[in-house]
C-alpha cells in the first residue's frame, strides 16, 4: 500500500464503464457507526482483502447478493485484473441465467459491478466495513500484521474473518484486540460455483459473531457448516491426507497415477481423481499445508512429507497454474 491520499474517496467503485459511483460512498458515509460493539451484526458492507482467485470470487458472490464490497489489493493493476475476472465470470453466469433476455443480463452485470469498489488503501476502507474478509497470501506474519493494523482503525462492531486454508484462526487473531469478533470463513474454489462455506469459531469467538458469520454465509446463497479451529477444518483435514495417501500409493509403484485417478472417479464416484485434484489445488499449496501440519505433529504418519511432491515443487511444477504438475496442461 502506498502513501496515497487516505480519504475514503480513494477507493474506486467499478461500474461496467469504470466510472466513479459517488452514490456508493455517500451511502457508506451516511451510515455512521456506534462506538460500542453491536450484537448480531447484519453484514452489508464488506471489505475483501486480496483480489486473487479467492478474493475476487468472494467479492463477486457478495456483490451479486446485494452487498457492497471494497476489494483491496497491493496495486491497481492487480485490482483491474480482478475486476476484469469478475466481469468475465458474471458474463458466463448471465449467458446461462438470462439466455433469453440478454438485456436483463447486461443490466444485472451493471448492477452487480456498481456494488464493487476497488482500493489499495485498506486503512481507509476499513472504517466503513461491517466485515473484513482477508484472502491474501498464506503467510501468518503478513496476515497478523494486516489485522493488527486494521484493528486500530476499524469500528467496534466490525467483524474480522480469514479465508485461510491451513493457518490457525487463533494465531491470526492474536495480533488484534477483538478476539470475540474474529472467526474463519473458509470458501472453496471456484467461489461462485462451490456451495460450501466452513464457518470457524475459535474458543474466543462470541456467539453473536458466529451467528453473524453464519447468516452472512446464508445471505451469499451458500451452505455453511460449523467447525472448531482445528488443522484443515473439515474438508482439507480429510482431503489433504487422502491426496497424500494417493501419492504414496503411486510412489510405492502400487498403481499408475492415471489408474488411481480412474479408480477414484469410477469406483468412488469422485468428480476428479486425486492427481487431477492435486494439480488443480496447486502442488505448492499442498506442500505448504502438509509441511505446516508435519512440523506441528511430526510423529503423525498421515502428515508425512512426500519426496515426489517436494521434487515437483522444487522444479516449479505446481500443477495447472504453471502448465505442469502430475500432468501437463496446454
Ligand atoms: N486457492 C484456493 O483453492 C483456496 C481455497 C480456500 C482458501 N484459500 C486461501 O485464500 C487465501 C488466498 O488464496 P488465493 O488462492 O486467492 O491466492 P492468490 O495468490 O490468488 O491471491 C492473493 C492475493 O492477495 C494479494 N495480497 C498479498 N498480500 C497482500 C496484502 N498485504 N494486502 C493486500 N493484498 C495482498 C496478492 O497481490 C494477490 O492478488 C489464502 O489464505 C489461501 O490459503 C485458497
Amino acid at each position: 500500500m502506498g502513501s496515497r491520499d487516505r480519504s475514503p474517496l480513494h477507493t474506486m467503485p467499478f461500474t461496467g464503464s469504470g466510472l466513479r459511483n459517488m452514490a456508493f460512498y455517500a451511502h457508506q458515509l451516511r451510515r455512521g457507526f456506534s462506538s460500542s460493539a453491536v450484537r448480531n451484526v447484519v453484514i452489508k458492507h464488506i471489505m475483501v482483502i486480496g483480489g486473487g482467485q479467492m478474493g475476487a470470487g468472494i467479492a463477486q458472490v457478495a456483490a451479486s447478493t446485494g452487498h457492497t464490497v471494497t476489494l483491496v489489493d497491493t496495486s491497481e493493476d492487480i485490482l483491474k485484473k480482478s475486476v476484469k475476472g469478475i466481469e468475465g465470470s458474471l458474463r458466463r453466469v448471465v449467458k446461462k441465467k438470462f439466455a433469453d433476455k440478454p438485456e436483463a443480463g447486461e443490466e444485472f452485470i451493471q448492477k452487480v459491478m456498481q456494488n464493487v469498489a476497488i482500493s489499495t488503501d485498506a486503512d481507509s476502507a476499513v472504517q466503513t466495513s461491517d466485515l473484513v474478509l482477508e484472502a491474501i497470501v498464506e503467510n501468518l506474519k503478513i496476515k497478523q500484521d494486516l489485522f493488527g493494523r486494521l484493528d486500530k482503525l476499524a469500528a467496534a462492531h466490525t467483524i474480522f474473518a480469514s479465508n485461510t486454508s491451513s493457518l490457525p484462526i487463533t494465531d491470526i487473531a492474536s495480533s488484534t484486540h477483538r478476539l470475540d469478533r474474529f472467526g474463519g470463513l473458509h470458501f472453496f474454489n471456484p467461489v461462485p460455483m462451490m456451495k460450501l462455506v466452513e464457518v470457524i469459531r475459535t474458543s474466543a469467538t462470541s456467539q453473536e459473531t458466529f451467528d453473524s458469520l453464519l447468516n452472512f454465509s446464508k445471505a451469499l446463497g451458500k451452505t455453511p457448516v460449523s467447525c472448531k479451529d482445528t488443522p484443515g477444518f473439515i474438508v482439507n483435514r480429510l482431503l489433504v491426507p487422502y491426496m497424500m495417501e494417493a501419492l504414496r500409493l503411486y510412489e510405492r509403484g502400487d498403481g499408475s497415477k492415471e489408474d488411481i485417478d480412474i479408480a477414484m472417479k469410477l469406483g468412488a464416484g469422485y468428480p476428479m481423481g486425486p492427481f487431477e485434484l492435486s494439480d488443480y489445488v496447486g502442488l505448492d499449496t499442498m506442500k505448504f499445508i502438509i509441511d505446516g501440519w508435519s512440523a506441528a505433529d511430526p510423529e503423525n504418519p498421515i502428515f508425512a512429507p512426500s519426496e515426489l511432491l517436494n521434487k515437483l515443487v522444487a522444479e516449479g511444477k505446481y500443477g495447472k497454474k504453471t502448465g505442469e504438475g502430475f500432468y501437463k496442461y496446454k
Side-chain angles (χ1 to χ4, degrees):
M1 319 248 161
S3 55
R4 313 177 56 122
D5 169 18
R6 289 185 178 268
S7 87
L9 294 183
H10 172 62
T11 32
M12 296 187 300
F14 249 83
T15 63
S17 59
L19 293 174
R20 279 167 186 266
N21 177 354
M22 299 308 287
F24 179 89
Y25 294 115
H27 179 62
Q28 287 209 327
L29 292 171
R30 266 199 310 272
R31 295 177 67 232
F33 294 108
S34 90
S35 59
S36 63
V38 177
R39 293 163 74 85
N40 279 331
V41 172
V42 177
I43 295 167
K44 277 286 164 204
H45 303 279
I46 73 168
M47 174 164 70
V48 177
I49 312 184
Q53 280 189 87
M54 297 306 290
I58 295 166
Q60 177 186 329
V61 172
S64 301
T65 48
H67 302 83
T68 55
V69 183
T70 304
L71 184 59
V72 173
D73 209 300
T74 50
S75 83
E76 280 179 14
D77 280 349
I78 296 176
L79 286 164
K80 278 179 191 157
K81 269 191 210 141
S82 313
V83 166
K84 221 172 146 199
I86 294 174
E87 269 193 355
S89 173
L90 283 171
R91 289 206 183 280
R92 287 192 291 280
V93 172
V94 154
K95 222 173 171 183
K96 275 194 201 154
K97 213 172 153 187
F98 296 91
D100 307 332
K101 301 181 215 148
E103 275 167 25
E106 197 53 43
E107 214 174 281
F108 174 75
I109 294 174
Q110 295 290 326
K111 212 172 143 194
V112 172
M113 293 316 288
Q114 274 173 16
N115 283 339
V116 181
I118 57 170
S119 175
T120 54
D121 185 3
D123 295 11
S124 293
V126 75
Q127 293 162 24
T128 50
S129 303
D130 301 322
L131 170 71
V132 174
L133 182 39
E134 167 274 311
I136 67 169
V137 58
E138 189 76 333
N139 177 301
L140 179 61
K141 171 89 172 56
I142 297 177
K143 288 185 197 281
Q144 283 174 333
D145 287 351
L146 176 71
F147 278 120
R149 200 180 75 236
L150 296 179
D151 187 36
K152 299 184 184 81
L153 302 166
H157 79 283
T158 305
I159 294 173
F160 286 2
S162 174
N163 181 49
T164 179
S165 291
S166 65
L167 301 169
I169 301 294
T170 306
D171 291 359
I172 301 173
S174 67
S175 63
T176 73
H177 295 285
R178 60 180 77 216
L179 303 186
D180 57 327
R181 283 151 289 153
F182 209 119
L185 275 182
H186 188 223
F187 290 82
F188 291 80
N189 191 18
V191 180
M193 308 281 296
M194 301 294 280
K195 291 294 264 181
L196 184 70
V197 180
E198 289 173 331
V199 182
I200 319 303
R201 63 193 307 172
T202 72
S203 54
T205 307
S206 71
Q207 188 61 43
E208 289 79 12
T209 298
F210 177 74
D211 290 343
S212 296
L213 292 175
L214 208 66
N215 290 335
F216 172 66
S217 307
K218 287 180 189 162
L220 297 183
K222 301 294 184 197
T223 303
V225 292
S226 162
C227 185
K228 284 191 184 166
D229 189 19
T230 53
F233 312 129
I234 297 174
V235 173
N236 286 341
R237 179 64 179 77
L238 296 176
L239 209 51
V240 175
Y242 151 72
M243 293 192 289
M244 292 300 291
E245 195 53 22
L247 232 157
R248 284 189 269 271
L249 199 133
Y250 171 54
E251 278 179 312
R252 287 195 303 268
D254 295 346
S256 71
K257 54 183 189 284
E258 290 81 4
D259 278 355
I260 296 169
D261 275 349
I262 290 171
M264 292 312 290
K265 284 191 282 190
L266 301 188
Y270 287 11
M272 284 181 177
F275 295 96
E276 291 167 329
L277 183 60
S278 299
D279 276 357
Y280 184 73
V281 168
L283 304 191
D284 54 333
T285 305
M286 257 179 80
K287 176 171 161 50
F288 183 86
I289 293 174
I290 209 70
D291 285 355
W293 292 355
S294 162
D297 190 0
E299 301 306 318
N300 194 334
I302 60 173
F303 297 159
S306 145
E307 264 180 44
L308 177 59
L309 181 66
N310 290 345
K311 180 173 170 287
L312 289 169
V313 172
E315 289 168 357
K317 293 173 183 164
Y318 294 171
K320 262 197 125 167
K321 62 184 159 191
T322 58
E324 187 172 350
F326 289 111
Y327 299 110
K328 285 191 178 160
Y329 303 87
K330 290 214 170 122

